[in-house]
Amino acid sequence: MIETAEQKIVDEVIAARRSIRAFLSKPVEREDIQKILEIAARAPSGTNTQPWKVYVLTGGIKQQLSDEILQAHNNPNNTYKEEYNYYPVQWLSPYLERRRKVGWDLYSLLGLGRENKAGMHAQHGRNYTFFDAPVGLIFTIDRVMQQGSWLDYGMYLQNVMLAAKARGLDTCPQAAFTQYHQIIQKTLNLPDQEMVVCGMSLGYADPSKIENSLVTERDLSMIKFL
């Protein structure tokens, strides 16, 4: 099969997308953010319900949210819990091994050994600064929506990340924010009927940071031709 120019561009953008964990302070133009989110909204959704809602955070409000979550994250008596289970309650193979591998691959790059609990805690806390990205995104969904709408939401999130990558921007989708949905709701004045789905960092990757050299593996054995 002859590869067309369009196929090559799409394939390259998908393959180039990675979760970036260190960003430059270089600002992102509001027009670019607006266009990314407009294009992403072309994602399919059952009966065109479009269940996604996004809050774009920059400047003071982003800093305020980061400060408040970090205060809770660093509190030894932290009791904040996720509102929904992103991960399985019981881990099984091969998912547990994959999770452990990506974690230790990242910590190894950063020089964090298993005994360095404080260092790992601090690195996890960088989620809540949006890894220093100039733009933070918080995604919510109406509580009445069911599992199908969450599938739709995943396609929307992927569109956001690909539209950003096509414009020379990078992202990191972050389920870590779900633990602090109560803080997010209060700080952003979210309506009671909205549930936090995840956060996302958006900006320009810092090429000097070792953590951005991490490339995760993909297992293609799940492909079955029948």
Side-chain angles (χ1 to χ4, degrees), residues 147-165:
Q147 190 170 8
S149 293
W150 286 72
L151 295 174
D152 298 339
Y153 216 121
M155 292 184 278
Y156 171 74
L157 293 170
Q158 177 78 341
N159 273 4
V160 172
M161 293 183 280
L162 296 182
K165 191 62 185 176

Side-chain angles (χ1 to χ4, degrees), residues 12-197:
E12 287 180 350
V13 171
I14 293 173
R17 186 218 62 81
R18 291 186 293 118
S19 293
I20 294 300
R21 295 177 175 86
F23 290 83
L24 299 172
S25 60
K26 180 180 178 181
V28 179
E29 295 294 331
R30 179 168 179 154
E31 292 77 8
D32 288 334
I33 303 170
Q34 182 75 32
K35 188 62 176 179
I36 287 167
L37 298 176
E38 287 178 1
I39 291 296
R42 296 306 308 172
S45 60
T47 62
N48 200 33
T49 48
Q50 304 174 61
W52 41 79
K53 187 169 184 178
V54 56
Y55 295 83
V56 182
L57 312 181
T58 59
I61 187 62
K62 183 174 76 73
Q63 187 64 53
Q64 180 185 348
L65 182 63
S66 293
D67 290 345
E68 292 178 358
I69 294 179
L70 277 175
Q71 184 177 5
H73 174 70
N74 293 325
N75 184 347
N77 299 315
N78 182 4
T79 58
Y80 286 96
K81 301 292 183 183
E82 293 84 355
E83 195 170 15
Y84 71 91
N85 290 327
Y86 183 93
Y87 294 108
V89 176
Q90 180 181 1
W91 286 93
L92 301 174
S93 181
Y95 314 111
L96 179 60
E97 291 84 356
R98 291 171 182 168
R99 184 183 194 224
R100 285 174 172 169
K101 177 171 172 44
V102 72
W104 290 120
D105 285 351
L106 174 62
Y107 291 143
S108 295
L109 285 173
L110 294 168
L112 298 173
R114 294 174 185 267
E115 73 289 346
N116 192 346
K117 304 300 183 183
M120 290 188 287
H121 178 82
Q123 175 59 31
H124 185 71
R126 283 186 45 73
N127 275 281
Y128 308 121
T129 68
F130 295 95
F131 297 111
D132 300 325
V135 181
L137 305 174
I138 295 293
F139 299 92
T140 68
I141 191 170
D142 196 299
R143 295 177 185 278
V144 302
M145 307 308 280
Q146 296 297 313
Q147 190 170 8
S149 293
W150 286 72
L151 295 174
D152 298 339
Y153 216 121
M155 292 184 278
Y156 171 74
L157 293 170
Q158 177 78 341
N159 273 4
V160 172
M161 293 183 280
L162 296 182
K165 191 62 185 176
R167 289 163 173 78
L169 292 158
D170 282 286
T171 54
C172 185
Q174 296 159 269
F177 281 97
T178 61
Q179 180 178 356
Y180 299 103
H181 59 93
Q182 291 170 307
I183 295 176
I184 295 170
Q185 181 180 32
K186 181 179 179 181
T187 304
L188 304 187
N189 196 28
L190 302 183
D192 290 340
Q193 72 269 20
E194 288 185 25
M195 177 186 293
V196 174
V197 174

